[in-house]
């Protein structure tokens, strides 16, 4: 007698998105590096400053860096957190 079991494991990911804006002009900043601190996961903002990155769990710290700007860290503890 043979029994077959199939187990599927789907890793749940959390999508974090937002927009990087220039504090003076309010315009989106393109090509900003957005990385998850302590990991190799990262993306760049698009031409309008928008980004989207998937993480395995919260909380995380996102590190924003770009040439000509001081790097900034932002703690993210909620999926619905405003990241503009």
């Amino acid at each position: 007698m043979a029994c077959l079991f199939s187990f599927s494991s789907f890793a749940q990911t959390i999508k974090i998105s937002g927009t990087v804006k220039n504090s003076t002009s309010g315009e989106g900043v393109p090509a900003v590096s957005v990385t998850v601190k302590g990991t190799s996961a990262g993306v760049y903002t698009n031409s309008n400053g928008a980004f989207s990155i998937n993480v395995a769990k919260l909380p995380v710290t996102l590190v924003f860096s770009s040439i000509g700007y001081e790097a900034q860290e932002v703690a993210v503890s909620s999926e619905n957190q405003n990241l503009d």
Side-chain angles (χ1 to χ4, degrees):
M1 181 167 126
C3 293
L4 295 176
F5 293 95
S6 176
F7 294 97
S8 295
S9 176
F10 295 100
Q12 183 177 5
T13 59
I14 299 164
K15 183 178 180 179
I16 300 171
S17 57
T19 306
V20 177
K21 296 180 181 178
N22 182 299
S23 61
T24 305
S25 68
E27 294 180 358
V29 182
V32 174
S33 170
V34 182
T35 58
V36 179
K37 188 174 184 176
T39 74
S40 60
V43 296
Y44 286 96
T45 58
N46 67 14
S47 60
N48 298 317
F51 72 93
S52 178
I53 189 167
N54 292 320
V55 298
K57 63 180 180 175
L58 294 174
V60 296
T61 299
L62 297 181
V63 180
F64 297 85
S65 60
S66 182
I67 296 172
Y69 293 90
E70 184 177 332
Q72 293 187 6
E73 295 186 5
V74 176
V76 180
S77 57
S78 169
E79 226 176 316
N80 302 329
Q81 189 171 334
N82 183 10
L83 294 175
D84 286 340

